[in-house]
Amino acid sequence: MVSASINMTVSNPAIQPPAAIVYVGVSAQLDITLQNETGGAITFNAGASPSKLTIFMPSFYTATQLQQMQVNLASWNYSYSSSQQALILTYAGASGQTWNSEATLAFSITSATSTNTPTSDTIQINPTNMTGNVPIQVSAPLSLNNAPQPGNATLPLQVWLDAQGSVYVSQQGDPLQNTLFLNFKNTSNNPLWTGTTLWTGNPQVIVSFVYGNSSGALAPDSDKSSPQTGSAWKISGAVSISQGNDWQVTNPSNSAEYPHPFWTLTPANNNIGIIGTGANANLSFDFSQIVSCTPPGATQMVVQFTGFKKDAQTLYNDAVFVLNISKQNPPPTRGLLNFFSEQSPLVTVNSPTQAININLKWTMFNVASVTLICSFPGVAPITISYPNFQPLGYDTTTITLPGTPENTAVFFTLQAFSGKGVYLNSLQYTVFITAQIFVDPRDGKEYPTLQVNNTLWMTTNLDWNATGSSVYNDDSNNEATYGRLYTAALAKQVPVGWRLPSQTDWNNLIAAYTSSTDSTAAYKALVAGGSSGFNAQLGGSENTQKEYSDLGCKGYYWTSSDENSSDTYYAQFSAASQSITTQAVYPTNYLISVRYVKDIS
């Protein structure tokens, strides 16, 4: 398949770094660059049938707004066509002028202002009356965002495509269906919506592609009224893996007013957190029935987030992610094409009994069965058969690994077979498990942990049987839940690599779970049974007269911050007020609970 391509890029120089984004109500300059990648020179014609560049702007510009735009390019005349609602550049230079291979043609569109609601669309340019291997049209995405505002938050998200966004192109009459997997990950310690009541407004994610027949486009969209195989209108979006996050996908309708297809992803109206944390921090969508009868090359998916709020008082700035898609020729032989996971290959466990779920995906070409082999002890091989397999197939499975107290690499080997059981090929995927578990070298006891920002915290109370420590009320039944109680001096006897948290450490921990709308949020999250997994215990205290108090009512934890030689600050969890304070001190010979921390990079 020979590529006739003109590569088109769009950027707004007022945004740093420059990007294909304009803001609602803000006049913008759009810098357009066209690069000749057709493999040969293109000749411009003058005279009665001059060369033209017909520019169709995104549908979020009205006819009035289009008429206000200006385009300047040396040797070209600019005009506006009201019948086409298009900007026209007409060549006015010497006939026979050439646009050499790999050379660029650059111009700017000024006074581009839209007052529409945020959305994404494309700029399409149709070159005509030129001599050479010229494509019918080229296009590039442009997103309309709300302008960033002081005080707004930044969306704490990672957005990516599985398998580097690979798509196999098809020959006419031999369609290969592809699926792209789009993933979101919440990278913060809090859900995307941190308010205590249900969010309001219209948060949505708008997904679009680059459309056309060139190597820089995924698929054409010019057959809206009657989409054929290979049309962008045929692509179907759906929720793939929700991980506790209820979302919906609205696919484009070719009966709607919009000239280009886009997919709208929205949280369900009962999805309080929008995207959660921990095991619920990931969300995946699949875009299937992609048939690309275009030349191999690079194209893009545009993912626009708009209308999201952090809480009732704080908005998130709109965000646009441009994800690369690699269009490739299909493989010449049968077998596995990709083997990957939507998760990071670096897995952290914080407890020796924590089960580890590894979600694996693969793409394959004319495969009848696969066998998956795992190197982790006790995990048996599994075989999956495909009695009615498609030429291009996809599948997924989840392998659950038992807990481990050690750092280890786990190797997954996927083998492909034909219908006669003949081995085709194999691919391997490796997961590296980091066990962030504190093993006390003094007695070998293991403690689970929790990472908050760059600090690792124990999530159970210290239970080192040091001389001078005690168990609440001298009752051994209390030790399993509350650990032991220590003086400040004993608390500061910490194994190498760990330390006693300072007053600042405790304040930073509390701040990570504080909400502007709920004064008790940090207590609820950090106390035993709370959403954070920190599991602070209300283990009480022992004074110098060996009097015990406050079990089940208050939890006290030493800090490393001394007020003076005889008094040290502590962190207090109070069930009555559902609060956490760090401003009070105890005499250093009082006995209270201890947690250690470790700094990580």
Side-chain angles (χ1 to χ4, degrees):
M1 188 179 294
V2 178
S3 170
S5 176
I6 294 175
N7 184 45
M8 175 178 171
T9 60
V10 178
S11 66
N12 179 353
I15 296 175
Q16 294 301 319
I21 298 171
V22 292
Y23 294 136
V24 175
V26 179
S27 180
Q29 171 181 311
L30 294 173
D31 292 340
I32 312 293
T33 302
L34 303 175
Q35 184 168 12
N36 179 2
E37 295 182 354
T38 64
I42 295 173
T43 303
F44 298 137
N45 299 315
S49 299
S51 299
K52 290 186 178 182
L53 295 172
T54 304
I55 306 168
F56 296 95
M57 296 297 287
S59 58
F60 51 73
Y61 290 107
T62 66
T64 300
Q65 292 164 350
L66 292 173
Q67 293 177 51
Q68 294 172 346
M69 298 180 188
Q70 295 294 320
V71 186
N72 292 304
L73 178 60
S75 300
W76 295 72
N77 293 331
Y78 168 69
S79 62
Y80 172 72
S81 170
S82 57
S83 60
Q84 294 179 281
Q85 291 195 359
L87 316 181
I88 310 292
L89 284 173
T90 303
Y91 182 65
S95 190
Q97 186 72 30
T98 58
W99 179 11
N100 292 326
S101 177
E102 301 302 323
T104 59
L105 190 66
F107 57 90
S108 295
I109 301 173
T110 57
S111 302
T113 307
S114 174
T115 54
N116 204 340
T117 56
T119 188
S120 290
D121 204 342
T122 60
I123 298 178
Q124 177 181 310
I125 299 180
N126 294 1
T128 53
N129 298 329
M130 300 178 186
T131 304
N133 193 20
V134 183
I136 296 173
Q137 65 184 48
V138 294
S139 61
L142 182 66
S143 295
L144 176 66
N145 282 8
N146 288 311
Q149 299 297 325
N152 283 5
T154 300
L155 280 164
L157 291 175
Q158 291 178 350
V159 179
W160 74 97
L161 288 170
D162 280 344
Q164 292 78 50
S166 297
V167 167
Y168 292 100
V169 299
S170 302
Q171 300 288 342
Q172 291 293 342
D174 185 20
L176 292 176
Q177 290 199 4
N178 297 264
T179 300
L180 290 170
F181 296 94
L182 172 65
N183 305 287
F184 304 158
K185 180 177 182 179
N186 178 9
T187 59
S188 75
N189 294 318
N190 298 303
L192 217 58
W193 167 259
T194 61
T196 56
T197 59
L198 188 64
W199 45 266
T200 58
N202 185 32
Q204 58 182 342
V205 182
I206 301 169
V207 176
S208 60
F209 300 93
V210 179
Y211 305 112
N213 292 290
S214 70
S215 63
L218 180 65
D221 66 344
S222 55
D223 56 352
K224 174 182 175 180
S225 60
S226 181
Q228 304 298 307
T229 299
S231 170
W233 293 98
K234 290 280 193 177
I235 299 172
S236 177
V239 177
S240 177
I241 300 176
S242 63
Q243 292 191 343
N245 304 290
D246 192 6
W247 278 62
Q248 300 165 340
V249 178
T250 302
N251 285 295
S253 169
N254 59 357
S255 62
E257 60 180 300
Y258 303 104
H260 305 290
F262 61 86
W263 294 255
T264 306
L265 321 179
T266 52
N269 56 17
N270 61 349
N271 180 355
I272 294 180
I274 298 183
I275 301 179
T277 61
N280 297 323
N282 293 280
L283 178 64
S284 297
F285 302 88
D286 61 72
F287 292 82
S288 61
Q289 302 179 40
I290 299 172
V291 176
S292 184
C293 299
T294 61
T299 185
Q300 291 80 37
M301 170 191 278
V302 179
V303 184
Q304 179 186 26
F305 290 77
T306 184
F308 287 84
K309 296 180 181 179
K310 182 177 182 180
D311 53 45
Q313 287 78 39
T314 310
L315 300 176
Y316 287 111
N317 283 324
D318 287 359
V320 174
F321 298 84
V322 180
L323 309 179
N324 289 327
I325 298 172
S326 175
K327 297 188 302 171
Q328 308 167 25
N329 284 315
T333 57
R334 299 173 63 178
L336 297 164
L337 306 177
N338 286 294
F339 183 36
F340 54 93
S341 174
E342 63 182 14
Q343 304 164 257
S344 168
L346 305 177
V347 178
T348 300
V349 295
N350 301 101
S351 169
T353 60
Q354 177 184 337
I356 308 162
N357 291 324
I358 307 297
N359 298 318
L360 299 168
K361 293 182 178 180
W362 55 92
T363 60
M364 51 200 165
F365 193 68
N366 281 329
V367 170
S369 67
V370 296
T371 296
L372 179 61
I373 302 169
C374 177
S375 67
F376 199 92
V379 179
I382 62 172
T383 297
I384 304 173
S385 298
Y386 307 104
N388 300 305
F389 60 87
Q390 298 292 318
L392 188 61
Y394 302 82
D395 205 357
T396 181
T397 193
T398 299
I399 300 296
T400 300
L401 308 178
T404 176
E406 300 177 349
N407 297 341
T408 186
V410 180
F411 303 98
F412 296 92
T413 302
L414 189 66
Q415 301 174 334
F417 299 88
S418 71
K420 295 182 179 181
V422 176
Y423 171 82
L424 299 174
N425 71 338
S426 63
L427 294 176
Q428 191 173 79
Y429 182 78
T430 305
V431 171
F432 299 92
I433 299 175
T434 301
Q436 290 187 339
I437 298 164
F438 171 51
V439 180
D440 195 330
R442 298 168 295 196
D443 56 14
K445 289 184 178 178
E446 298 174 345
Y447 297 87
T449 63
L450 170 71
Q451 182 177 340
V452 180
N453 298 320
N454 292 324
T455 305
L456 205 61
W457 288 79
M458 289 168 49
T459 59
T460 57
N461 290 355
L462 184 65
D463 191 28
W464 167 47
N465 190 5
T467 301
S469 65
S470 69
V471 175
Y472 190 94
N473 219 25
D474 295 322
D475 184 350
S476 60
N477 292 325
N478 289 323
E479 187 171 1
T481 300
Y482 302 105
R484 300 181 70 87
L485 305 176
Y486 303 87
T487 64
L490 284 173
K492 293 176 181 178
Q493 296 180 24
V494 185
V496 174
W498 293 76
R499 60 182 177 82
L500 190 65
S502 66
Q503 191 179 25
T504 298
D505 290 320
W506 279 102
N507 288 334
N508 289 340
L509 174 67
I510 296 165
Y513 294 95
T514 296
S515 169
S516 60
T517 59
D518 182 4
S519 61
T520 66
Y523 175 87
K524 292 175 181 175
L526 294 170
V527 76
S531 60
S532 70
F534 184 76
N535 292 321
Q537 299 290 344
L538 307 180
S541 66
E542 178 188 348
N543 63 22
T544 54
Q545 284 74 46
K546 203 170 176 56
E547 295 171 339
Y548 297 94
S549 61
D550 293 335
L551 183 71
C553 300
K554 293 182 179 180
Y556 304 92
Y557 290 90
W558 284 121
T559 79
S560 62
S561 304
D562 298 325
E563 184 184 51
N564 50 51
S565 60
S566 59
D567 296 296
T568 296
Y569 287 97
Y570 63 87
Q572 173 187 284
F573 289 75
S574 171
S577 61
Q578 294 196 322
S579 64
I580 312 170
T581 58
T582 61
Q583 305 306 313
V585 297
Y586 261 157
T588 57
N589 53 359
Y590 269 48
L591 285 81
I592 58 176
S593 301
V594 168
R595 296 279 178 99
Y596 294 151
V597 295
K598 182 179 183 179
D599 298 316
I600 56 177
S601 57

